[in-house]
Amino acid sequence: MKINSLPFINLRRKPIRTSALIVIALVMSAAAFGGQILIKSLQRGLDSLEQRLGADIIVLPEGAEKKVDLQNLLLQGTPGYFYMDKSVTDKLTGINGIEKLSAQYFLVSANAECCTVQVQIIGFDEESDFTVKPWLKEVYDGRLQKNEIIVGAGLSTRVGHTLSLYGVECRAVGKLEKTGTGLDTAVYATNETVKGLINASAKQGIAVLSKQSPENVVSSVYIKADKGADIDELTSKINRALDGAQAVRTRSMMTDTAKRLNVLSKSITALTAAVWVLAAVIMLTAFYNSANERKREFAVLRTIGFSRNSLSRIVLLESVITAGAGALAGVILTGLLCFEFISAIGKKTAMPLLMPSAGVTIVYGAAVIGIVLLAGAAASALSAYRLTHIDTGKILREGC
Amino acid sequence: MIITAKSISVTFYKKKHAVKAFEKVSISFEKGELTLITGRSGSGKTTLINALAGFIPANEGQILYDGQDISRLDDKALSGLRCKSIGFIPQGQSALANLTVLQNILLPSALAGQSNIAYAEQLLAAVGLERLANAYPDELSGGELRRLAAARALINSPSVIFADEPTNDLDEENSAIVLNILKEQAQSGAAVIIVTHDSAAFKYADRIFHMDGGRLIGNDNEYENTLCRPLVS
């Protein structure tokens, strides 16, 4: 028998108390780790969106927000479409302060046509695009040909396979990394391909355009302002110059989403704090009660020759073992749940959720385990003090 | 080891009222002697041996172990002294519920950095608990628990053994087992100090003291042991 095994023996012989303490630590770590992962996923999702948007101003048809939720469409990839006259692009070319501009086409796959969910089809111009290509390049460095597509991570279509859209077989040449948003179920193609799909939809009797030809329309124009240009002023200038279209500053969309994320982050932090306060009170009570029950046991240990330090070590080791086991289980369980359900949560809450990288997740997990261990040690410190400063003589004399 | 108590007093405070447990007790314990301290309940016997073992600080006087004042020892040194040199059999049930009988006996040995399993098994056999080595204390009778406490106190072959009512609640046969073991320890050179009101223990004693109202009759300084011998006969 070794003295260091005493805390383990004590814990094993009190399975209910030990399990309860482990569960408390598990709840604490799950709340802290889950909360942190959720907050970081929101931040990462937002960063990813910002990176992908890449434009300062977006020009859309007037009233487009009445047809679809612009923010959801542009930031989250929630399926939707709208069109405006192509002449908008020509008008924009004459406005000073614009460095780059590129038109895009939006289309939505027919219901239950190819996939279990509606797919957002985004068409971009191979020549002028500066918003989509930079990150598409990560998975496909070539030039997209007609009826070639790059698919989001959420679609089951594999590279080299085809996806049928309005009866047109489109070949996937690349697959994107996960973004945690509806863009994971989007398909990217050239404007030519999308125009072809719009025509194909008309042939199938699903007319997305009533009278116009797809050659004469665009869905949106992405604008990169000149360096040093006042973007608000440029937005106003564009709005004054255009008829039937509106310019929206992208940061205003992001700010709105960022505000929502900020509120959510604060709510998660508050909830985590509440769980911690409750768990800490329960843990303190458990250790306090345990200290009362164990006075005689510790008095006997003093008669055997245990010093105050060695008794403190027993109490602290017991708390570290229970807190450590609970924290580890909490982190692993929450990590698995997050990994499995974070995309679903993102879709359900319309929030851009993107899990932090494995390295960052491990660092957070380790930090949470460390904090729970400290909390457990702190909660047991009072008990350790009480048990190591018991009046051995009095307890032995009075038998209590 | 020689223990000398020089004019020690212990006073408790119960709800701010001072209660004197005993006053100006002077006594010495020599190697190889079995000393009995008898007296009625509440006479201060238990408090005296708790003070002698360093669990209760004396308000005045000195307790010397081989000339070393234990009040000057820090907790680590005093705990080390208890672990290696003192065997203590507390009053009542003192088995550690989470440990088996064998683990209970081995614990002081493990604390001293040893693992004297062979001697633990010898002690188990000596107290008649060899069949219960792997049982837990809640499976033992009162008599078995007292014998377990005695065996645990002896595992490190201490030079001083304190036993507080070691035969309390034991039948004649179990009492004899425990007292014989303690007597053997004294004969092997340990100083054995037993607090008891069990008259069956008298025949094992080399010296007998009596406590009454916080005073030790037979106090070395006052009576030079003259009152001890008649009590034995």
Side-chain angles (χ1 to χ4, degrees), chain A residues 205-249:
Chain A
I206 313 162
V208 291
L209 279 170
S210 49
K211 292 170 190 163
Q212 296 149 296
S213 153
E215 295 296 335
N216 300 326
V217 295
V218 291
S219 291
S220 62
V221 181
Y222 284 71
I223 293 170
K224 180 89 180 162
D226 276 339
K227 269 192 186 129
D230 183 329
I231 297 168
D232 281 329
E233 205 182 294
L234 183 62
T235 309
S236 304
K237 206 196 282 183
I238 295 168
N239 275 329
R240 280 196 301 272
L242 298 180
D243 197 20
Q246 58 175 341
V248 181
R249 198 176 164 177

Side-chain angles (χ1 to χ4, degrees), chain A residues 86 99 118 138 181 183 215 253 329 348-349 352 387:
Chain A
K86 198 183 177 183
E99 187 198 333
Q118 260 200 326
E138 291 169 16
T181 69
L183 291 171
E215 295 296 335
M253 290 182 182
K348 195 89 182 163
T349 57
L387 284 169

Side-chain angles (χ1 to χ4, degrees), chain A residues 362-379:
Chain A
I362 289 168
V363 169
Y364 275 114
V368 165
I369 290 171
I371 293 167
V372 174
L373 282 178
L374 280 178

Side-chain angles (χ1 to χ4, degrees), chain A residues 46 59 253 259 338:
Chain A
L46 194 62
V59 176
M253 290 182 182
K259 272 183 192 163
C338 283

